């Protein structure tokens, strides 16, 4: 128990100050390993489809890598949370990182030996997706287990730099490495996976629970779905997650519509790629604002403000023209997203009982990830029949209609930050 949690601490006692986050070796080591894993994932997400396209000339097979990886992550997502709650999270994390390293190494060796096949590559996609499902909740909870409560928002803000920095650097880095040699980006993913595994082995953290009889008994009662039941049972959590899922669905649909809009306006592929980096740049710039926004705005008001900005900016995208304007609009749209992600952590993950926390994390991530293909597929169907600008306006109207009852309802209005 920390001093901040100790009810018997007297006024005259001197509370030891927590170690500054920059000197917290366990957090910084885990964070560096997580950053390496994220960067390796972003490099792989670009390099594997390009490799498959070069091997087969088939855009369908190139797209199959992402589809298989994503499908495995969603398929095993809820079970990954149950495993994190039922077993030692550090061991789960080490196992997931070791399997991912072995997979990356198998692809690199096969490629160097000129023995890499399409089935091998797609199997690697499935294994990588599964390791994300099983290692993801444990990695998220490990980072939070080595930070005192008063430094949580600062730590999560730093973690946002990892997410957005990797998203910004990964694709161009993959292209650059491919230019050096077909096997180079895959050797880089091996190094990234090794760094993540090394960090997981090096840092011990408080698991927060043991393999209790209660946890074992809960296995008989549908423990895999317990995280979803936990989220949906509470009106505030349910509304919070619904808004986040709606933003994910609309955001993924919006990006595809923007790509088509820029193409129709004569923007080159390179220009389109640069315009879309506005999303990651906005996330990077928004990460340092997290603590200030959380101090200034209640969580419900913050969630609704960022959510309502999206349909308004969808309309702005229709009115503006050119990659520079799109870059700026996406940047502004993404400034509040880090604050929302940290808010999800504070409201959902940190408030869940520890025996349920892995499943709460997995359920939230599965819902958010599941919304992305729904948005992209919906946008694709609409874009086959309607102009890109019309699709953006339709997305804005649909999102606004979905937000209206949640805005007028009581679940989010008046929601405050949890104490302690």
């Amino acid at each position: 128990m920390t001093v901040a949690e100790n009810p018997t601490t007297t006024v005259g006692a001197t509370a030891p100050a927590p170690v500054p986050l920059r000197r917290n070796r366990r957090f910084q080591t885990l964070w560096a390993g997580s950053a390496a894993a994220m960067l390796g994932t972003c490099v792989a997400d670009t390099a594997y489809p390009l490799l498959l396209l070069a091997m087969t000339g088939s855009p369908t097979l190139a797209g199959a890598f992402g589809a298989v990886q994503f499908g495995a992550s969603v398929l095993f997502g809820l079970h990954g949370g149950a495993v994190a709650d039922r077993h030692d999270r550090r061991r789960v994390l080490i196992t997931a990182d070791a399997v991912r390293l072995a997979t990356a190494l198998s692809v690199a060796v096969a490629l160097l030996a000129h023995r890499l096949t399409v089935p091998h590559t797609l199997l690697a996609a499935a294994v990588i997706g599964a390791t994300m499902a099983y290692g993801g909740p444990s990695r998220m909870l490990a980072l939070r287990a080595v930070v005192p409560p008063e430094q949580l928002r600062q730590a999560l803000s730093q973690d946002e730099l990892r997410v957005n920095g990797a998203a910004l650097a990964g694709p161009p880095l993959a292209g650059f490495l491919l230019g050096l040699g077909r096997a180079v980006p895959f050797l880089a993913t091996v190094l990234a996976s090794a760094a993540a595994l090394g960090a997981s082995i090096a840092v011990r953290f408080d698991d927060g629970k043991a393999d209790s009889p209660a946890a074992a008994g809960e296995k008989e009662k549908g423990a895999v779905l317990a995280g979803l039941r936990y989220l949906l049972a509470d009106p505030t959590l349910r509304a919070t997650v619904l808004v986040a899922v709606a933003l994910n669905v609309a955001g993924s649909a919006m990006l595809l519509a923007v790509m088509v809009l820029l193409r129709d306006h004569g923007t080159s592929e390179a220009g389109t790629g640069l315009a879309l980096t506005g999303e990651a740049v906005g996330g990077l710039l928004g990460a340092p604002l997290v603590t200030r926004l959380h101090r200034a705005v209640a969580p419900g008001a913050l969630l609704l403000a960022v959510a309502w900005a999206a349909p308004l900016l969808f309309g702005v995208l229709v009115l503006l023209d050119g990659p520079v304007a799109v870059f700026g609009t996406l940047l502004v749209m993404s400034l509040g997203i880090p604050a929302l992600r940290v808010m999800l952590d504070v409201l959902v993950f940190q408030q869940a009982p520890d025996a349920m926390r892995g499943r709460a994390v997995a359920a939230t991530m599965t819902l958010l990830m599941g919304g992305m293909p729904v948005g992209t597929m919906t946008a694709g169907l609409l874009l086959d029949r309607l102009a890109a600008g019309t699709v953006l306006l339709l997305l804005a109207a649909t999102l606004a209609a979905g937000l209206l009852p949640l805005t007028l309802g009581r679940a989010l209005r008046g929601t405050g930050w949890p104490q302690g």
Side-chain angles (χ1 to χ4, degrees):
M1 178 177 288
T2 65
V3 173
E5 296 170 323
N6 189 346
T8 63
T9 302
T10 61
V11 176
T14 302
V19 175
L21 194 63
R22 66 180 182 276
R23 291 169 49 198
N24 184 331
R25 294 182 181 177
R26 291 198 301 164
F27 171 77
Q28 296 298 346
T29 300
L30 279 174
W31 183 88
S34 297
M38 178 65 73
L39 182 59
T41 298
C42 291
V43 168
D45 287 345
T46 301
Y48 274 102
L50 291 176
L51 175 66
L52 283 168
L53 189 61
M55 288 170 59
T56 67
S58 170
T60 300
L61 286 175
F65 178 88
V68 171
Q69 177 180 297
F70 187 88
S73 294
V74 173
L75 179 64
F76 294 109
L78 295 179
H79 189 253
V83 169
D85 283 339
R86 197 177 301 129
H87 301 287
D88 184 282
R89 290 169 182 161
R90 180 169 174 265
R91 292 180 182 176
V92 173
L93 180 57
I94 290 173
T95 301
D97 284 345
V99 171
R100 180 158 53 181
L101 173 59
T103 303
L105 188 59
S106 75
V107 172
V109 170
L111 192 55
L112 289 171
H114 304 287
R115 296 291 182 89
L116 185 65
T117 63
V118 172
H120 185 170
T121 306
L122 295 181
L123 178 61
V127 174
I128 292 170
T131 60
M132 292 169 64
Y134 286 102
S138 293
R139 190 182 304 280
M140 290 180 67
L141 296 175
L143 284 169
R144 289 143 182 82
V146 297
V147 175
E150 59 269 30
Q151 293 179 343
L152 178 60
R153 282 185 175 85
Q154 182 186 357
L156 296 179
S157 298
Q158 180 175 326
D159 205 39
E160 285 297 313
L161 296 176
R162 168 183 69 91
V163 173
N164 292 287
L168 181 62
L173 179 59
F176 171 75
L177 294 175
L178 272 173
L180 299 179
R182 181 174 288 187
V184 175
F186 302 97
L187 293 173
T189 63
V190 171
L191 294 176
S193 299
L197 176 60
S200 302
I201 294 174
V203 177
R204 296 185 178 275
F205 57 91
D206 182 7
D207 199 58
K209 53 116 184 87
D211 293 338
S212 63
E218 201 168 333
K219 182 179 179 181
E220 304 298 327
K221 305 173 185 178
V224 170
L225 298 177
L228 282 175
R229 291 196 296 268
Y230 172 78
L231 294 178
L232 299 178
D234 184 278
T236 299
L237 297 186
R238 182 170 62 245
T240 299
V241 173
L242 284 176
V243 172
V245 171
L247 286 175
N248 250 25
V249 173
S252 58
M254 175 270 298
L255 288 176
L256 182 57
V258 166
M259 293 179 196
V260 175
L261 185 69
L262 288 171
R263 184 202 63 186
D264 292 346
H265 288 171
T267 303
S268 67
E269 293 181 357
T272 298
L274 289 174
L276 296 180
T277 62
E279 187 177 25
V281 173
L284 282 173
L285 296 177
L289 303 177
V290 169
T291 301
R292 294 179 183 179
L293 288 173
H294 283 202
R295 288 175 179 171
V297 187
L302 176 62
L303 176 63
L304 292 172
V306 175
W308 275 105
L312 295 175
L313 291 171
F314 285 8
V316 171
L317 287 169
V318 178
L319 299 175
L320 298 179
D321 187 17
V324 175
V326 170
F327 175 91
T329 305
L330 292 179
L331 187 154
V332 173
M333 196 183 301
S334 302
L335 284 173
I337 299 301
L340 289 195
R341 281 201 284 251
V342 175
M343 187 192 79
L344 274 176
D345 193 294
V346 173
L347 289 186
V348 180
F349 307 155
Q350 294 303 315
Q351 301 310 307
D354 196 83
M356 174 71 68
R357 196 165 289 166
R359 282 163 289 176
V361 170
T364 304
M365 294 301 102
T366 300
L367 288 173
L368 292 176
M369 290 178 63
M372 295 172 66
V374 172
T376 302
M377 183 179 300
T378 301
L381 293 173
L382 292 173
L383 288 165
D384 284 339
R385 296 164 176 80
L386 302 171
T390 304
V391 171
L392 283 170
L393 292 176
L394 185 59
L395 290 173
T398 304
L399 180 57
L403 290 174
L404 190 59
L406 293 171
T407 304
L408 298 177
R410 297 180 179 180
L412 292 177
R413 286 186 297 142
T415 302
W417 296 108
Q419 300 297 317

